Amino acid sequence: MKQIYTLTHMPSIKSILLMALCHITLLAAQPAAAQEKPLAIEEIDEDRTKRGIIPAPVAYYTPNTKFAFGATVIGYLKLRSKTDTSFTRLSIARFFTDFTTNRQTHQWLFWNIFTRDEKYFIRGEVRHRVYRDRFFGIGNETPDEAEEIFRYKYISARVAPLKNIGNRVFIGPEVQATNYYETELNPADGELQSQLLTGQIPGYRGGVNIGLGIAVINDNRNNTAFPSSGYYLEASAHRFSESFGGDFSYNNYNFIASKYWGLKPDNVFAVNAVVNLNNGDVPVQRLATAGGEQILRSYTRNRFLANNFAGVQAEYRFPLFWRLGMVAFAGAGDVFNEFSETSFSTLKYSVGTGFRLRVLPDEKLHSRLDIGFGQEGFAINVGIGEAF
């Protein structure tokens, strides 16, 4: 599951305290925080299907958004098999909405659903956002002084119905569509022209982005919320084209590999590798990034952009007491336009730690707060679910 928000780019002590206070408040407000069983709206029907809803408030502060307020609702589901007493792994649907004092709004519905007996896995999302983004340039030679602010709105949808062809291998089509509109360019230095404008970088005026592709997943994890054994492999390829009604033409390829080892109860060592490759006229909003809430967590998602990204990371997860746990993580990776551009001198690293609160005890679903350190300073990420 994805993050809620990110605090990054050398935050002040005040910002850190505000973020920590907001997160502690939210953890205390989680429905699962007071009892052994969650205070979610939960029921188990006649065929022993388990379903529930967890509502929670959202409040946070970042330098990019300022203060933000909203709410989230998580729905979860486990279906019992028609042939035996087993259940599907955890299915999740989540709705999130917020409003910031920096004139940003975000509405986001996403889902990862297993049908009965895991014959199908259906994932997707629908999103609307009024967004304030930052652009420093493309590649690794992008100084902080080159920062410019640009605003845009977008509406997007993505859906992938994947069929289980055996041994937990799921395959199927994936469709993506996004409309970026009402783009406003605003360099940080008012005397300079926008790099996006002068470079005629695709996406600087917004546009429609439509892609068709195929995804293959081999999900052998024992638990999708908190794996302690097994592995996860994913490969996908997409073609975005003007022929589909879009404004951009390019190819996108993604590869993800994760492996998990349970060392003792609730102590897990995990490794993860991510590759994102693009070629063609890629809009700036869809360039590969080094950073974010899932990998290289010490960097903001938009600090370094290029056509391609490759990175690896490792994480150790362990319990503390009650429903609290911690993690320690380290990773390395980089963006590049051509493989010949890769160099140890520009390689980016991230090390850090984080706290976990188990909001759904039986399924081991966590709320998380991570702090990562790297060459650019540090960043704080808060959300629901593990980073990978």
Side-chain angles (χ1 to χ4, degrees), residues 18 99 140 159 171 239 303 335 360 370 379:
L18 282 168
F99 172 81
N140 290 296
V159 65
I171 185 171
R239 173 62 181 170
R303 179 59 186 89
V335 295
L360 195 58
D370 291 333

Side-chain angles (χ1 to χ4, degrees), residues 124 130 158 161 190 197 201 219 232 268:
V130 178
R158 175 177 64 91
L197 176 61
I201 295 173
D219 187 354
Y232 178 91
V268 177

Side-chain angles (χ1 to χ4, degrees), residues 308-383:
N308 311 304
F309 169 79
V312 296
Q313 63 182 330
E315 183 168 288
Y316 181 58
R317 305 165 182 169
F318 56 95
L320 292 176
F321 60 91
W322 188 50
R323 295 182 179 181
L324 295 178
M326 286 191 70
V327 303
F329 58 85
D334 211 353
V335 295
F336 54 95
N337 289 315
E338 303 292 340
F339 186 76
S340 58
E341 298 176 6
T342 58
S343 168
F344 281 109
S345 64
T346 63
L347 187 68
K348 295 161 186 60
Y349 70 85
S350 179
V351 298
T353 188
F355 291 93
R356 300 292 183 268
L357 173 70
R358 189 161 291 179
V359 297
L360 195 58
D362 290 345
E363 306 305 329
K364 301 182 179 181
L365 178 64
H366 291 106
S367 171
R368 68 183 175 101
L369 183 152
D370 291 333
I371 178 169
F373 299 86
Q375 294 101 316
E376 292 283 310
F378 59 92
I380 297 175
N381 296 278
V382 179

Side-chain angles (χ1 to χ4, degrees), residues 80 93 120 131 159 214 224 261 275 277 296-297 305 367 370:
R80 185 170 180 174
Y120 291 89
Y131 194 54
V159 65
I214 185 170
T224 57
W261 293 270
V275 177
L277 307 175
L296 296 187
R297 282 167 265 176
L305 307 174
S367 171
D370 291 333

Side-chain angles (χ1 to χ4, degrees), residues 19-238:
M19 173 64 82
L21 177 61
C22 288
H23 186 63
I24 291 169
T25 301
L26 290 179
L27 295 187
Q30 290 287 354
Q35 303 180 9
E36 279 305 310
K37 293 185 178 180
L39 292 179
I41 304 169
E42 180 175 289
E43 65 178 32
I44 301 177
D45 59 24
E46 293 181 356
D47 66 357
R48 306 302 295 173
T49 294
K50 183 177 181 180
R51 60 172 67 90
I53 296 176
I54 304 176
V58 171
Y60 61 95
Y61 175 93
T62 78
N64 189 47
T65 63
K66 307 305 180 186
F67 286 99
F69 307 93
T72 186
V73 178
I74 302 170
Y76 59 93
L77 174 72
K78 293 185 73 172
L79 298 173
R80 185 170 180 174
S81 171
K82 290 184 177 180
T83 58
D84 55 39
T85 59
S86 65
F87 287 82
T88 63
R89 287 169 292 176
L90 186 67
S91 295
I92 289 286
R94 181 178 172 214
F95 177 73
F96 169 84
T97 183
D98 74 354
F99 172 81
T100 81
T101 57
N102 211 10
R103 297 187 296 126
Q104 297 164 270
T105 66
H106 190 189
Q107 296 79 42
W108 183 24
L109 171 66
F110 73 87
W111 58 90
N112 291 322
I113 305 295
F114 290 102
T115 65
R116 199 176 300 275
D117 295 316
E118 298 193 7
K119 292 182 178 180
Y120 291 89
F121 173 61
I122 304 170
R123 68 179 183 184
E125 66 175 14
V126 178
R127 178 181 292 196
H128 168 262
R129 196 167 195 181
V130 178
Y131 194 54
R132 178 184 184 271
D133 210 341
R134 299 186 300 164
F135 181 72
F136 296 83
I138 296 177
N140 290 296
E141 303 300 325
T142 53
D144 290 343
E145 302 78 53
E147 176 187 7
E148 66 177 89
I149 305 299
F150 69 110
R151 296 177 179 270
Y152 55 89
K153 301 177 182 179
Y154 68 88
I155 299 175
S156 67
R158 175 177 64 91
V159 65
L162 309 179
K163 179 177 174 56
N164 190 340
I165 60 174
N167 296 318
R168 290 185 170 179
V169 176
F170 300 85
I171 185 171
E174 186 163 42
V175 181
Q176 301 183 41
T178 306
N179 181 19
Y180 301 100
Y181 62 100
E182 295 187 19
T183 301
E184 299 177 12
L185 306 181
N186 182 26
D189 185 340
E191 296 181 359
L192 298 177
Q193 278 195 307
S194 165
Q195 300 177 76
L196 294 165
L197 176 61
T198 57
Q200 297 287 289
I201 295 173
Y204 82 96
R205 294 186 299 180
V208 176
N209 193 43
I210 300 178
L212 302 177
I214 185 170
V216 181
I217 295 175
N218 185 3
D219 187 354
N220 201 33
R221 297 173 295 175
N222 64 329
N223 182 317
T224 57
F226 186 81
S228 59
S229 66
Y231 58 85
Y232 178 91
L233 302 173
E234 177 178 341
S236 64
H238 301 87

